[in-house]
Amino acid sequence: MSMQTQERLGKIMVPIMAIFALGASQGGVNAGMATMSMAFPDAGANIAYIVSIVALGMIPSGIISGAVTGKFIKYRTSIIAAIVLYVISGCWPFIAQGTSFAALLVSRFIFGFAVGWSYPLAQALVFKSVADEHKRASWLGVGMCCFNLGSMIMEFAGGYLAVISWQACFLVYLIGIIPLVVVIFTLKEPETDAQQAEDLAKATGQAVKAKIPPITFCYMLMLTLVTGFAMPTILYCSFVIADPIVAGWILSAMTLVGAVSGLTLGPVYKKLGKWTLPVSILVLGVLYVAAALLSQPGSFNLALYAVAFLVGHWGFAIIIPGTGDMVTNLTPIAAATRAMGFNTAFHQLGCFIGTPIAALVMSLVGGASVIDVLLPTAIAIVVLGVIDLILVGCTKIEKYGDAYGKIDAGSAED
């Protein structure tokens, strides 16, 4: 790639990375949760839905966004509208002082809908802009870095705003104005998936199919399950570490690890190729098993636990963009936006089911504390890593991508 091409690609990526930074928005109001629970005493444990319902809103919007953007709505129009809705719905609890708990949850669902609408479009635009699989992996990793950096900024800002009031912490979403301005002034309207498919067809002399290969949904399902079983270890970190200040620092370090980890996806993918996913899942699972064993009463060691927890998080941070990269390698360009919409939906489903999975595991093992669910869920991740190893071994990537549909259907299915 020439220097001129690299410079042009860098400019293209600026607004796309700004959209990625809005993706990690659920935790922006975590610092105000305790005060919110006092404001809504009848909510009880349901107060946690203020965070988790955002993921629920992202599930349908990701699918719808992928289906209609570029086909019925222009990309720029779609993204700008989503960011405007992001800012308004995100700040709504501050705007509508005295809102009920039910209305608060509705505003958070709408906010999740806005996040879920824009986030897969960032992934799709990387897919559509970068043809080389190694450079695409690198940019998706940079997107993960921006995702985590955005989360860090929002968590810190939300903490300071929560000192004023729980309503004020929702003003953190005014940060959406920055990517909105960046998108308005720097994002060029891309070709639609159909136009790119037509260009490719002319260049190769072969029709490009617009079907998403069924095998991609296997990888998306793996993302759902791995995320769902990983969430208990992340959610219950503060139960393992009794000191809330130390727990806060560990979780902040986790976000930083996530940001740095994203930058490693490109080099790791260059070395491991399609094996990147199972390796990252197994690293996550094995180290979360170690963290779970170190969490047991009588065997707790803060330093070792922190190392296992944080290094293990490298795997988690790689799995998310790594799955997106695998989907891009398997999917024809004609189905790029739809595929990324489904990928976002499966990812957020995993985030949402983390708590129900923990509750189910706790009932099955008869645990007395949430710490009792950490080892079984971590072992489940190791099992999923082995399954993914087999799945990857059976996947011949050269049969897919823009070649999908050009070969005998019988030989295309793994």
Side-chain angles (χ1 to χ4, degrees), residues 92 116 122 140 159 188 206 217 317 320 322 339 347 379 405:
W92 188 254
L140 286 169
K188 306 298 182 184
Q206 293 179 299
F217 290 99
I320 298 170
H347 174 206
I379 291 172

Side-chain angles (χ1 to χ4, degrees), residues 11 64 114 120 131 178 185 272 297 314 319 372:
K11 289 180 179 179
I64 297 170
I178 297 174
F185 289 102
L272 299 180
W314 170 86
I319 291 161
D372 295 330

Side-chain angles (χ1 to χ4, degrees), residues 20-373:
F20 269 112
L22 293 180
S25 301
Q26 291 98 317
V29 297
N30 279 351
M33 290 291 287
T35 313
M36 288 179 218
S37 64
M38 290 188 285
F40 302 103
D42 294 338
N46 290 330
I47 198 74
Y49 280 110
I50 290 175
V51 175
S52 61
I53 202 169
V54 174
L56 191 63
M58 291 178 70
I59 295 170
S61 66
I63 296 172
I64 297 170
S65 173
V68 304
T69 303
K71 190 173 183 180
F72 302 106
I73 310 172
K74 290 184 177 180
Y75 284 89
R76 289 185 77 254
T77 303
S78 188
I79 293 168
I80 289 170
I83 299 177
V84 169
L85 182 60
Y86 171 103
V87 174
I88 294 173
S89 60
C91 296
W92 188 254
F94 178 83
I95 298 170
Q97 297 279 335
T99 188
S100 67
F101 184 66
L104 177 60
L105 292 182
V106 170
S107 73
R108 293 294 285 168
F109 181 87
I110 295 172
F111 173 75
F113 195 89
V115 178
W117 191 280
S118 60
Y119 184 72
L121 298 182
Q123 294 181 309
L125 289 174
V126 171
F127 186 178
K128 292 163 65 63
S129 303
V130 188
D132 181 85
E133 63 176 288
H134 295 106
K135 295 188 182 300
R136 190 164 61 232
S138 294
W139 278 111
L140 286 169
V142 173
M144 187 65 186
C145 178
C146 292
F147 179 95
N148 280 282
L149 290 176
S151 178
M152 288 177 63
I153 292 170
M154 289 183 191
E155 287 169 358
F156 279 120
Y160 283 105
L161 289 167
V163 174
I164 302 172
S165 70
W166 70 265
Q167 294 100 329
C169 70
F170 287 92
L171 290 175
V172 72
Y173 298 121
L174 286 173
I175 200 171
I177 293 173
I178 297 174
L180 176 63
V181 172
V182 172
V183 167
I184 289 173
F185 289 102
T186 65
L187 181 65
K188 306 298 182 184
E189 182 67 25
E191 284 188 310
T192 65
D193 294 351
Q195 288 171 332
Q196 285 188 284
E198 185 179 345
D199 292 342
L200 186 61
K202 289 178 181 177
T204 61
Q206 293 179 299
V208 177
K209 302 295 183 180
K211 182 181 178 182
I212 301 174
I215 197 170
T216 61
F217 290 99
C218 295
Y219 285 100
M220 294 181 203
L221 180 60
M222 290 297 295
L223 175 61
T224 298
L225 295 174
V226 171
T227 302
F229 281 102
M231 287 307 293
T233 298
I234 298 170
L235 292 171
Y236 301 138
C237 174
S238 59
F239 287 85
V240 176
I241 302 173
D243 188 330
I245 296 176
V246 177
W249 277 108
I250 294 292
L251 290 171
S252 296
M254 179 195 74
T255 307
L256 181 60
V257 167
V260 175
S261 298
L263 300 178
T264 69
L265 175 59
V268 171
Y269 184 80
K270 195 169 185 178
K271 292 289 185 182
L272 299 180
K274 67 179 184 178
W275 303 102
T276 299
L277 270 179
V279 168
S280 59
I281 295 172
L282 288 169
V283 168
L284 172 69
V286 169
L287 287 173
Y288 270 17
V289 165
L293 292 172
L294 290 164
S295 301
Q296 302 307 311
S299 61
F300 180 67
N301 182 301
L302 177 59
L304 292 177
Y305 171 82
V307 170
F309 180 79
L310 295 175
V311 179
H313 192 68
W314 170 86
F316 188 65
I318 289 294
I319 291 161
I320 298 170
T323 301
D325 186 54
M326 178 63 84
V327 172
T328 65
N329 291 334
L330 297 171
T331 304
I333 193 65
T337 308
R338 285 189 295 117
M340 291 299 98
F342 277 112
N343 189 55
T344 294
F346 275 81
H347 174 206
Q348 293 307 314
L349 178 60
C351 293
F352 186 74
I353 65 175
T355 300
I357 282 178
L360 175 62
V361 171
M362 192 167 179
S363 67
L364 290 175
V365 301
S369 166
V370 293
I371 294 176
D372 295 330
V373 311

